[in-house]
Amino acid sequence: MAGIVLDKLKKSYGGTEVLHGVNAEIADGEFVVIVGPSGCGKSTLLRMIAGLESVTEGEIRIGERVVNGLEPAQRDIAMVFQNYALYPHMSVRQNMAYGLKIRGLPKEEIDRRVEEAADILEIRDYLERKPRQLSGGQRQRVAMGRAIVRKPQVFLFDEPLSNLDAKLRVQMRLEIRRLQKRLGVTAVYVTHDQVEAMTLGDRLMVLNGGRSEQFGTPIELYERPQTTFVAGFIGSPAMNFLPATAEGGEVVLENGARLPGGTGAGRVRLGLRPEHLLADDGGPIRLQAILAEQLGASTLVHGTLEGTDSALVAALPGTRAVTEGEVLGFSVAPAQMHLFDGEGRRIG
Amino acid sequence: MVENRPWLAFFTHVVLLIGIAVIALPIWITFVAATHDEIRMTQVPLPLLPGDQFWANLKATLFGRGLSGTETAPVWRMLFNSLVMAMAIALGKIAISLLSAFAIVYFRFPFRMGFFWMIFITLMLPVEVRILPTFEVVAQLGMLNSYAGLTIPLIASATATFMFRQVFLTIPDEMLESARIDGAGPMRFFFDILLPLSRTNIAALFVILFIYGWNQYLWPLLITTDQDMTTIVMSIKQMLEAAEQSPQWNIIMMTALLAMLPPVLVVIFMQKLFVKGLTETEK
């Protein structure tokens, strides 16, 4: 068992730098999710930890060992790939045993480990089948089984659920989480899906343009996003951003509405989560509705801040009929107002 | 397409039947000629039904001294020579192309693409074009009248290298990465993953290359002077010219039949893999 330390990690391809110095300390047994939009460098970062990409600058330590120069096989890691990367010509059993066979483990030990993993994952019945005879979810299990039998110090997951249908994804998500807790192995998981990130991770690293924007627990990220990027990325539906001015303990919106709360002075961006807007007929935030999305449990009202062009979304509990052009009033608790400066950094 | 035009159906069938006859008739004549005795084959009209001399002719052809009045090797010896040549060329080409394609696809070394294009350009230099310099080289190396001389100059293959390159490119990168994490070195990856995954392609290529090797005519003609090294394809031509009397059609046709047999067997037995190897795209 071991933690992972990333120390000012940089990666360049030719002259282009794609990771600009990422730092992180991942504790032993922790489940860390790296989340970000496509092209943010999250897969590159994971592949660097795996040893599939070289490190341009900085250091990776697994346990106490610097692993920069080590081959993937020497790093004591296991990786689950997006397309599973099972060997198509080998049976499930052979797939799971291949790494152990190369390491030269005795045959009884290999069989024991494979069967143990097969029991955990409930794939014992498929051990003699070829990967192409399995469904997506079963292949996913085999890919995880292949990781488990190696008893690694670190699990690496590269968007392992993105090829599954929505229902199976939720189920496998829980299973991965359960499995990782049970085995107590440090895990790094890459995804672009913020729901997956929020539900799986002990801590999340939000990566944007090769930089770590924030690294913290899901609730920290939700409640106190440090940048507008994190604020907009975490939470669904996404946070509203309104241009505003802060003055004397109040925030003044474009249309002159005044909201109590907030610190700082001058031009700011006000972030409001749709679910934090409370229906209040006399409230200061006036939303002119365009259309409503009925989700059953809640209704999303899309519209603009009255008198402006700024888009505004509010989530109302239950079902509610909304006519176009209708003006709804909302208020918000001061603690749930997020203020950001011109560079997108959090104020206060 | 559903059509009901009886005349069209009739007409297309007639065309097909004529086509079959054009191809099958010579083979039938060959077979018939191989079943009659020598005298019958020189009489008119040509027989169209099989005679009863098949086994006698077979024995005479395989183990006899060939045509009367010539000193050729027995046909079994020629068959053996052809088999060695065809197998060595096919397996040699496959082995070398697999390795060179492996190097070009999976390793980063200086002038990688340069080497690839150099291999590719040799497509323009088949044996017939470089025949004189190649002969000179083989002669200087003392490889005339040997299996090495028969096969080595024909082994280097741009086509097969190119084909295996394409095959390897369709194998997802994750397969390599997964093998690296499992701790497989390059050669282990080659033998455990790449070879099994290219199995059908190797089989398809083997069929093509075996027939290519079997049908070699010009090269064996040039470098073998020893009767014991002649191959069957070149000897048929010699048989027609060699005899001073009228040709012994029964022996010649039996030889031709025997020469046709191995490629036919290879195609029949490897047909399934052959089609799979040429059509299968999913890895």
Side-chain angles (χ1 to χ4, degrees):
Chain A
M1 300 300 121
I4 305 171
V5 177
L6 309 180
D7 192 6
K8 297 190 207 69
L9 210 54
K10 289 188 183 178
K11 176 72 188 176
S12 310
Y13 291 109
T16 353
E17 197 170 84
V18 294
L19 284 179
H20 315 282
V22 174
N23 292 303
E25 277 190 39
I26 299 167
D28 183 18
E30 196 176 19
F31 199 124
V32 167
V33 178
I34 302 173
V35 62
S38 31
C40 71
K42 56 188 191 298
S43 280
T44 309
L45 182 56
L46 190 79
R47 293 163 56 82
M48 283 164 80
I49 300 175
L52 297 170
E53 300 274 354
S54 62
V55 173
T56 310
E57 228 181 287
E59 213 170 72
I60 303 173
R61 290 195 291 276
I62 298 178
E64 293 305 307
R65 221 159 39 128
V66 178
V67 296
N68 284 27
L70 293 184
E71 272 290 301
Q74 301 168 313
R75 295 190 180 197
D76 212 0
I77 49 138
M79 186 154 168
V80 177
F81 292 90
Q82 181 172 4
N83 62 3
Y84 320 133
L86 301 174
Y87 310 123
H89 57 292
M90 295 188 196
S91 69
V92 170
R93 181 189 292 277
Q94 289 167 326
N95 260 290
M96 286 165 70
Y98 187 59
L100 305 180
K101 206 174 98 190
I102 291 178
R103 274 203 240 163
L105 260 61
K107 197 167 177 323
E108 309 80 64
E109 170 73 4
I110 295 179
D111 284 346
R112 202 180 54 73
R113 284 204 197 181
V114 167
E115 271 153 35
E116 194 182 292
D119 283 340
I120 295 177
L121 293 163
E122 293 161 17
I123 50 173
R124 211 172 223 281
D125 296 345
Y126 319 128
L127 276 181
E128 307 310 326
R129 293 207 200 156
K130 294 278 171 64
R132 68 169 163 278
Q133 297 165 299
L134 302 178
S135 69
Q138 289 165 344
R139 284 183 210 186
Q140 177 64 58
R141 279 163 204 266
V142 176
M144 293 205 306
R146 193 162 62 166
I148 293 174
V149 291
R150 314 189 53 213
K151 303 203 180 203
Q153 294 194 324
V154 177
F155 279 146
L156 303 173
F157 297 94
D158 189 4
E159 308 211 17
L161 302 183
S162 48
N163 285 347
L164 301 178
D165 63 55
K167 201 174 155 198
L168 203 53
R169 207 178 303 165
V170 175
Q171 189 193 334
M172 289 307 291
R173 199 165 76 197
L174 291 172
E175 233 165 273
I176 290 179
R177 185 64 176 146
R178 203 174 42 110
L179 195 69
Q180 188 265 346
K181 280 277 162 276
R182 175 170 167 182
L183 300 171
V185 177
T186 315
V188 182
Y189 187 108
V190 159
T191 181
H192 61 267
D193 181 345
Q194 55 102 5
V195 179
E196 222 169 277
M198 296 281 283
T199 50
L200 273 172
D202 291 323
R203 282 196 294 162
L204 266 57
M205 176 188 281
V206 179
L207 215 57
N208 182 30
R211 278 195 184 78
S212 166
E213 295 259 338
Q214 194 172 351
F215 188 30
T217 65
I219 297 306
E220 262 170 47
L221 264 62
Y222 179 78
E223 286 180 346
R224 289 187 61 81
Q226 292 303 309
T227 63
T228 47
F229 180 81
V230 176
F233 198 77
I234 300 293
S236 173
M239 187 184 269
N240 296 298
F241 291 105
L242 299 170
T245 320
E247 50 182 46
E250 279 189 324
V251 178
V252 186
L253 298 180
E254 280 173 297
N255 60 358
R258 288 171 175 273
L259 309 174
T263 52
R267 297 203 54 78
V268 294
R269 291 180 80 193
L270 172 64
L272 296 171
R273 294 203 183 275
E275 60 271 29
H276 290 158
L277 293 173
L278 303 170
D280 175 358
D281 289 339
I285 305 167
R286 316 294 297 175
L287 185 158
Q288 185 157 26
I290 296 173
L291 59 88
E293 286 177 326
Q294 303 282 357
L295 302 177
S298 62
T299 304
L300 293 183
V301 184
H302 293 262
T304 54
L305 184 67
E306 193 188 18
T308 70
D309 289 333
S310 305
L312 190 58
V313 180
L316 296 168
T319 53
R320 189 186 190 297
V322 174
T323 51
E324 193 181 334
E326 188 181 345
V327 176
L328 303 167
F330 293 94
S331 60
V332 65
Q336 283 164 344
M337 291 174 22
H338 306 274
L339 292 183
F340 299 95
D341 66 16
E343 263 105 62
R345 277 191 298 271
R346 183 182 190 85
I347 307 172
Chain B
M1 196 158 53
V2 180
E3 280 188 74
N4 188 14
R5 282 189 274 175
W7 278 105
L8 186 75
F10 175 76
F11 183 69
T12 48
H13 277 75
V14 167
V15 171
L16 285 175
L17 286 171
I18 292 173
I20 291 169
V22 166
I23 291 174
L25 193 65
I27 297 174
W28 176 250
I29 300 276
T30 311
F31 172 69
V32 169
T35 59
H36 287 278
D37 58 27
E38 194 185 331
I39 314 294
R40 177 66 185 87
M41 287 315 296
T42 52
Q43 293 164 349
V44 188
L46 216 59
L48 281 175
L49 291 174
D52 54 3
Q53 297 296 308
F54 182 80
W55 297 112
N57 285 337
L58 184 66
K59 196 160 163 246
T61 311
L62 270 182
F63 305 108
R65 293 302 299 163
L67 302 176
S68 53
T70 58
E71 281 294 303
T72 56
V75 170
W76 72 263
R77 174 85 207 181
M78 298 179 196
L79 278 173
F80 178 76
N81 288 343
S82 278
L83 188 71
V84 170
M85 179 176 73
M87 290 298 275
I89 289 176
L91 296 179
K93 268 180 186 271
I94 287 172
I96 290 206
S97 319
L98 272 171
L99 286 172
S100 46
F102 180 51
I104 281 167
V105 174
Y106 288 100
F107 291 85
R108 245 163 235 113
F109 51 90
F111 311 116
R112 190 168 65 112
M113 283 323 276
F115 280 108
F116 174 68
W117 284 111
M118 269 161 65
I119 293 173
F120 201 64
I121 280 170
T122 61
L123 269 183
M124 289 181 228
L125 300 169
V127 180
E128 291 75 9
V129 177
R130 56 185 162 91
I131 205 151
L132 286 176
T134 309
F135 180 84
E136 176 68 11
V137 170
V138 169
Q140 294 289 332
L141 290 173
M143 294 199 298
L144 294 180
N145 282 317
S146 71
Y147 290 127
L150 269 177
T151 53
I152 289 172
L154 300 177
I155 278 179
S157 174
T159 348
T161 306
F162 190 67
M163 194 188 112
F164 282 125
R165 174 181 176 265
Q166 299 307 104
V167 171
F168 292 168
L169 287 178
T170 64
I171 294 174
D173 289 343
E174 281 88 349
M175 214 62 82
L176 170 68
E177 291 170 352
S178 193
R180 277 181 70 192
I181 289 177
D182 273 338
M187 284 329 276
R188 188 125 203 187
F189 172 69
F190 179 74
F191 284 111
D192 285 357
I193 316 283
L194 275 189
L195 274 194
L197 287 182
S198 329
R199 199 176 60 104
T200 51
N201 306 89
I202 292 173
L205 209 59
F206 175 82
V207 173
I208 295 171
L209 294 178
F210 181 86
I211 294 171
Y212 164 85
W214 186 267
N215 286 343
Q216 281 304 315
Y217 174 66
L218 190 58
W219 182 248
L221 195 64
L222 268 179
I223 75 145
T224 58
T225 45
D226 188 342
Q227 293 293 356
D228 275 348
M229 292 303 295
T230 49
T231 64
I232 191 144
V233 175
M234 61 184 271
S235 77
I236 293 173
K237 174 77 164 73
Q238 285 170 341
M239 280 181 173
L240 287 175
E241 292 168 345
E244 299 200 331
Q245 72 267 42
S246 57
Q248 283 173 295
W249 285 114
N250 56 337
I251 302 291
I252 294 172
M253 288 307 192
M254 182 56 91
T255 312
L257 263 191
L258 289 171
M260 269 186 264
L261 202 58
V264 169
L265 290 179
V266 165
V267 170
I268 288 175
F269 285 110
M270 300 192 69
Q271 196 176 27
K272 228 172 149 186
L273 280 173
F274 179 67
V275 173
K276 243 178 149 182
L278 293 185
T279 53
E280 181 185 66
T281 50
E282 196 189 340
K283 280 281 168 286

